[in-house]
Amino acid sequence: MNDATLKPSLSSRIQTVRTKSGIEAWLIEDYTVPLVSLELAFRGGSSQDPEGLAGTASFLAGVLDEGAGPYDSAAFHDRLDDYAIELGFSASRDLITGHLRTLSKHRAEAFDMLRLAINEARFDEEPVERVRAQMLASLRHEVNDPDTCANRAWFENAFAGHAYARPVKGTFESVPAITREHIIAYRDQIFARDTLKLAVVGAIDAATLARELDQIFGTLPAKARLTEIGLTRPKNVGTRKIIDLDIPQSSIRYGGPGLSQSDPDFVTASVVNHILGGGVFSSRLFREVREKRGLAYSVFSQLAPLDFGPLHMGGTSTKNERVAESLSIIEAEIKSLALEGPSEDELDIAKKYLIGSWPLRFDTSTKLANQLIHMQIENLGLDYMERRNGLVAAVNRENAARVAKRLYGTGEIFTVIVGRPVGV
């Protein structure tokens, strides 16, 4: 499958909309169905949480749609329901993101609700305390979830002393300490026009969108006040950490330094990762860990191109007595790729899958808006949707071997195991 699959050219349909207040958005007009999908992102996320107040970004994301302007929490949600509007926010380590879905006939009401949430969120006591209780309940649940414990412990140890060590959802100590004033201060620090990214797909024209965006975002500060965060690399590579939990099956998370998405080798690294553990049924880890030995139901690897410390990561869950064997296989496959690179057959299978599945990321307006916002965040360019498959097709064995060596180095990883592993 080649780029002709994406017909007509999606890149050629992307309009760059610039408003009077200096806001920029990418728009694809589509009147096939009477819907409008909007994605937004502000630089920030949990890496900008105040010291000692981990979870502030997640707290803000949780209360933005819990009442705004003249509407308390109940009235706000009733209005969303009355007009079939989908509105929500979330936080990651590098971003605060939001999404809006609406029928085009309710566009005015939907955009007004987004405007209120961004600019006039009420942060009333009842919804703030309700969201706090939900966050604490989630933390209590995660205490006994080995996968979550392993992932959290991996970041806390790999990025000790860095902003990425902070748990995105906060801690039992930090969440009760976050006040309404902290949430408002964080919003005022992060929400600004210079770091705002916007993508819109659906039944709306550029001129109308520009007017609406000025109404929603035009009064935000021109510049965000972001705390400077230094580039870093994960610590403890080459070591293992065991966290005792009385369960019959251990959860394993591993990782090491990766590549940023703007790196010229990132696409090749994506192909290499697919060969290692990104391919669901064709990857080395799936074949060696699950199919040949039945050690685990699932095993995976992924690239995590974080802004200030990109990673390659992976994990699995297996019986305590099989942890040592599973880790031995995972480490051996990483080292093998680093030293020898992939085979021609592995490369061919990975490239065919990645090229063939690419159009599936654009088959709904929601998916398309997600891709557009991602392309903006990573500065991939307007033509990336058409260029990407050509970049994958151009990966040869020599390049894949070189990038595998660069990505995995000596093959050493930092591993966290939650459970009671035997022989580790």
Side-chain angles (χ1 to χ4, degrees):
M1 190 173 293
N2 54 38
D3 292 344
T5 307
L6 301 173
K7 294 190 292 189
S9 168
L10 286 173
S11 294
S12 66
R13 294 171 56 197
I14 301 173
Q15 303 176 61
T16 302
V17 178
R18 294 183 177 87
T19 76
K20 292 180 179 179
S21 61
I23 296 165
E24 182 177 303
W26 287 7
L27 166 67
I28 291 182
E29 289 186 50
D30 185 354
Y31 299 92
T32 307
V33 291
L35 296 172
V36 176
S37 295
L38 180 148
E39 295 285 333
L40 67 92
F42 291 99
R43 292 286 181 186
S46 65
S47 61
Q48 292 290 322
D49 285 347
E51 191 67 36
L53 295 174
T56 303
S58 292
F59 211 145
L60 172 64
V63 294
L64 278 174
D65 62 349
E66 290 291 345
Y71 307 107
D72 64 14
S73 179
F76 193 90
H77 284 285
D78 284 345
R79 189 167 172 82
L80 294 178
D81 291 341
D82 288 344
Y83 290 102
I85 298 165
E86 181 183 331
L87 174 65
F89 301 89
S90 61
S92 63
R93 284 185 165 81
D94 292 325
L95 300 167
I96 295 279
T97 58
H99 68 272
L100 176 71
R101 311 279 181 270
T102 181
L103 293 168
S104 55
K105 66 180 180 180
H106 296 152
R107 187 194 68 225
E109 292 82 4
F111 281 3
D112 190 55
M113 297 301 280
L114 176 59
R115 178 188 64 81
L116 291 172
I118 293 293
N119 297 281
E120 300 181 35
R122 291 167 55 135
F123 307 119
D124 293 333
E125 181 179 0
E126 187 278 326
V128 166
E129 293 309 314
R130 173 163 40 81
V131 170
R132 190 194 311 277
Q134 291 168 353
M135 293 175 70
L136 291 171
S138 177
L139 291 176
R140 284 191 291 271
H141 171 75
E142 290 176 355
V143 165
N144 294 312
D145 180 69
D147 288 342
T148 304
C149 288
N151 195 66
R152 177 183 288 233
W154 195 95
F155 276 91
E156 288 176 350
N157 287 272
F159 289 112
H162 189 271
Y164 283 162
R166 301 170 190 156
V168 175
K169 296 182 181 179
T171 66
F172 288 116
E173 295 73 32
S174 67
V175 171
I178 298 170
T179 66
R180 180 179 187 271
E181 288 69 32
H182 290 136
I183 298 170
I184 293 172
Y186 180 94
R187 178 198 61 183
D188 294 346
Q189 171 191 343
I190 299 300
F191 284 12
R193 284 172 281 155
D194 65 326
T195 65
L196 173 63
K197 304 295 183 184
L198 288 160
V200 181
V201 176
I204 186 171
D205 62 81
T208 303
L209 178 62
R211 290 194 300 270
E212 296 282 13
L213 294 181
D214 270 339
Q215 288 292 318
I216 298 169
F217 303 103
T219 60
L220 291 177
K223 292 188 176 295
R225 294 177 285 111
L226 299 178
T227 302
E228 186 174 345
I229 297 174
L231 292 170
T232 189
R233 291 168 63 87
K235 302 176 181 179
N236 303 316
V237 173
T239 70
R240 296 172 178 170
K241 181 179 179 64
I242 299 173
I243 298 175
D244 182 71
L245 190 64
D246 187 10
I247 50 176
Q249 184 167 280
S250 291
S251 182
I252 300 167
R253 289 294 181 273
Y254 72 82
L259 303 178
S260 67
Q261 189 139 14
S262 60
D263 192 291
D265 285 333
F266 187 82
V267 170
T268 304
S270 299
V271 177
V272 171
N273 170 72
H274 188 88
I275 292 168
L276 175 65
V280 178
F281 300 113
S282 62
S283 72
R284 288 189 179 191
L285 295 184
F286 184 89
R287 182 175 64 249
E288 297 296 329
V289 174
R290 176 175 168 168
E291 283 193 338
K292 287 187 177 180
R293 298 170 178 85
L295 297 173
Y297 179 76
S298 67
V299 58
F300 71 93
S301 70
Q302 64 185 33
L303 301 182
L306 300 174
D307 286 353
F308 304 104
L311 303 168
H312 76 85
M313 300 191 72
T316 190
S317 296
T318 188
K319 293 179 181 178
N320 288 329
E321 58 269 23
R322 308 300 295 273
V323 169
E325 184 181 2
S326 298
L327 277 177
S328 176
I329 294 165
I330 291 170
E331 291 170 350
E333 291 302 330
I334 293 173
K335 288 179 181 178
S336 172
L337 263 179
L339 293 174
E340 303 168 14
S343 69
E344 289 286 0
D345 284 345
E346 288 176 318
L347 196 59
D348 184 59
I349 291 170
K351 287 164 60 175
K352 284 180 177 176
Y353 178 86
L354 291 170
I355 290 171
S357 63
W358 181 240
L360 298 178
R361 302 191 185 192
F362 317 114
D363 57 3
T364 69
S365 61
T366 299
K367 291 182 182 179
L368 185 50
N370 275 319
Q371 285 299 315
L372 293 182
I373 202 77
H374 174 74
M375 288 160 57
Q376 290 181 72
I377 291 167
E378 300 296 344
N379 297 312
L380 298 177
L382 285 164
D383 62 344
Y384 182 73
M385 282 186 285
E386 268 65 46
R387 287 191 298 110
R388 185 267 195 184
N389 274 358
L391 296 173
V392 173
V395 175
N396 57 38
R397 190 174 181 277
E398 180 181 359
N399 275 337
R402 176 184 61 80
V403 173
K405 176 65 176 176
R406 184 184 171 205
L407 180 63
Y408 300 126
T410 60
E412 291 189 324
I413 51 177
F414 169 48
T415 305
V416 170
I417 308 159
V418 175
R420 292 190 172 171
V422 176
V424 178

